[in-house]
């Protein structure tokens, strides 16, 4: 029987926000500390953004009406009497059934099921599956996040070639759920870099699964969201704020590094002043600023950073945040200079 660190089921003392070395007993890793209460539900789990469920209900209602309209068009054309000319011959008319929009709605359940299956198969045959021997750090982070969010089963996790892209996503097919992390993200997780940032990002993606965002039925109910200006993008932004709450609750100290990496990349993230960039959320004004955020599928980075720093209220959805006290931006004395050593690209072999 394997001996776990600190004896049977125990752990050696570790610093705040750190984890004992694995492997872990059946109870899983220790729960990370909760630095700030905001973002948690009354039961200690990550909270949903308050706009998510109301927007989801509206989008599902619109999607249902679109499906019913497509079925009505088919029923009318199949069972209605044909239009005749003065000679009693049927008049040739364009059929709405062959409209690409009607066909898309009619076959939406099959198309969504097939798309999810193809996506999952692509990762299974091309991606590197995280395991205790392949990307063990990432595998451990996924297991930790699943335990933190009370999931009965940790999702599978794959690494795919990033080619310089900073990205990750979560999806599913059938009863299976999985997370995909682009390889470039692992370059921020080295021992001398920012492993907390990687833990935040992994927690964010596992959070999408824990919150039900990758459910087949939910995605079918949101099928027309990409074609709903403002409404569809607002729902997806609310989901991203919910996933950020999961990432924050999983590894709160990783939020600044994760956002800096999304802003400036894996080598220049040390140049980003998190507070300085977050403060600009309250300073950048104008109608086009509002429009860019309203049309975006993800919260704009300055607003997202503000929300991760200010845990007193949910992330701003439609209007830029306001500083709690006038004259606090910029802070007295200015922002501190960056003293972190910039990461260097790997040398060619």
């Amino acid at each position: 029987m394997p001996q776990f660190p600190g004896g049977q089921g125990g752990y050696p003392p570790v610093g705040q926000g750190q984890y004992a070395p694995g492997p872990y007993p059946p109870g899983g890793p220790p729960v990370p500390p909760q630095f700030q209460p905001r973002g948690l539900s009354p039961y200690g789990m990550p909270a949903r953004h308050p706009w998510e469920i109301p927007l989801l209900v509206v989008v599902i209602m619109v999607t249902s009406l679109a499906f019913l309209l497509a079925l009505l068009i088919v029923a009318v054309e199949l069972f209605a009497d044909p239009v005749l000319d003065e000679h009693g011959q049927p008049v040739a008319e364009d059929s709405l059934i062959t409209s690409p929009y009607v066909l898309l709605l009619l076959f939406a359940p099959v198309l969504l099921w097939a798309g999810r299956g193809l996506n999952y198969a692509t990762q299974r045959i091309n991606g590197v599956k995280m395991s205790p021997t392949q990307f063990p750090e990432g595998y451990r982070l996924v297991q930790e996040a699943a335990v933190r969010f009370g999931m009965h089963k940790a999702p599978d996790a794959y690494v795919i070639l990033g080619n310089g892209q900073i990205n990750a996503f979560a999806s599913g097919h059938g009863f299976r759920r999985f997370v995909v992390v682009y390889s470039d993200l692992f370059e921020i997780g080295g021992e001398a870099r920012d492993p907390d940032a990687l833990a935040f990002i992994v927690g964010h993606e596992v959070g999408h699964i824990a919150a039900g965002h990758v459910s087949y039925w939910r995605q079918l109910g949101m099928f027309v969201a990409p074609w709903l200006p403002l409404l569809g993008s607002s729902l997806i932004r609310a989901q991203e704020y919910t996933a950020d709450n999961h990432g924050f609750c999983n590894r709160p100290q990783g939020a600044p590094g994760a956002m800096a990496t999304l802003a400036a990349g894996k080598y220049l993230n040390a140049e980003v002043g998190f507070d300085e960039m977050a403060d600009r959320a309250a300073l950048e004004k104008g109608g086009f600023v509002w429009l860019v955020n309203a049309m975006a599928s993800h919260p704009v980075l300055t607003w997202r950073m503000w929300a991760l720093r200010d845990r007193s209220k949910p992330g701003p959805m439609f209007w830029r945040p306001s500083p709690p006290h006038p004259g606090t931006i910029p802070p007295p004395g200015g922002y501190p200079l960056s003293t972190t050593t910039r990461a260097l690209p790997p040398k060619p072999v």
Side-chain angles (χ1 to χ4, degrees):
M1 184 173 180
Q3 293 297 315
F4 299 108
Q8 183 66 29
Y11 294 94
V14 295
Q16 189 178 39
Q18 299 177 348
Y19 291 98
Y24 297 125
V31 175
Q34 300 172 10
F35 286 78
Q36 299 282 353
R38 229 288 297 158
L40 295 179
S41 72
Y43 304 102
M45 300 302 290
R48 292 184 186 274
H49 193 280
W51 276 94
E52 180 184 338
I53 298 303
L55 288 170
L56 177 64
V57 170
V58 174
V59 169
I60 289 177
M61 292 175 61
V62 175
T63 302
S64 300
L65 289 175
F67 286 148
L68 290 174
L69 179 61
L71 292 174
L72 181 61
I73 290 173
V74 172
V76 168
E77 294 214 10
L78 289 179
F79 299 106
D81 294 331
V83 178
L84 304 177
D85 60 14
E86 60 272 15
H87 303 292
Q89 299 297 320
V91 177
E93 293 182 322
D94 293 334
S95 174
L96 288 176
I97 296 180
T98 59
S99 166
Y101 299 105
V102 174
L103 292 175
L104 188 64
L105 288 170
L106 289 176
F107 292 99
V110 175
L111 292 174
L112 180 61
W113 174 82
R116 286 163 60 92
L118 289 172
N119 186 19
Y120 183 46
T122 299
Q123 315 314 323
R124 291 164 59 199
I125 58 180
N126 290 321
V128 181
K129 188 174 183 179
M130 295 186 199
S131 70
T133 54
Q134 294 186 134
F135 293 96
E137 300 86 358
Y139 177 81
R140 178 178 171 178
L141 293 177
V142 172
Q143 302 297 314
E144 289 173 358
V147 171
R148 174 69 182 91
F149 305 147
M151 300 171 66
H152 297 294
K153 181 180 179 182
D156 292 336
Y158 299 90
V159 178
I160 63 174
L161 183 62
N163 282 327
Q165 296 185 61
I166 303 296
N167 199 10
F169 64 89
S171 188
H173 178 61
F175 294 104
R176 296 167 290 274
R177 301 290 182 265
F178 61 93
V179 170
V180 176
V181 180
Y182 283 42
S183 58
D184 291 73
L185 273 175
F186 277 93
E187 296 188 33
I188 69 168
E191 184 177 353
R193 301 290 300 284
D194 196 347
D196 287 331
L198 181 61
F200 176 91
I201 293 171
V202 169
H204 173 103
E205 298 305 334
V206 176
H208 276 303
I209 297 174
H213 297 166
V214 303
S215 162
Y216 169 84
W217 295 107
R218 182 185 180 113
Q219 292 188 350
L220 184 63
M222 294 172 53
F223 192 79
V224 301
W227 293 278
L228 298 177
L230 304 184
L231 179 60
S233 59
S234 296
L235 170 57
I236 300 173
R237 285 201 313 282
Q239 292 185 162
E240 293 299 325
Y241 276 129
T242 296
D244 272 355
N245 281 345
H246 284 74
F248 181 87
C249 293
N250 184 56
R251 193 68 65 89
Q253 62 269 38
M259 294 299 107
T261 301
L262 294 178
K266 58 189 178 183
Y267 298 125
L268 299 177
N269 51 6
E271 300 289 331
V272 179
F274 180 78
D275 287 321
E276 184 172 354
M277 189 164 179
D279 282 346
R280 288 173 41 221
L283 301 178
E284 305 294 350
K285 307 175 183 179
F288 285 110
V289 170
W290 180 90
L291 187 61
V292 167
N293 173 74
M295 296 178 63
S297 61
H298 286 60
V300 292
L301 275 179
T302 49
W303 294 20
R304 195 173 177 184
M305 290 179 174
W306 181 285
L308 286 168
R309 185 183 61 178
D310 177 13
R311 308 306 290 171
S312 65
K313 57 180 70 70
M317 282 288 294
F318 305 106
W319 308 108
R320 64 184 176 88
S322 300
H325 304 289
T328 57
I329 300 176
Y335 297 100
L337 297 175
S338 174
T339 57
T340 308
T341 304
R342 181 188 303 177
L344 299 176
K347 296 181 179 180
V349 178

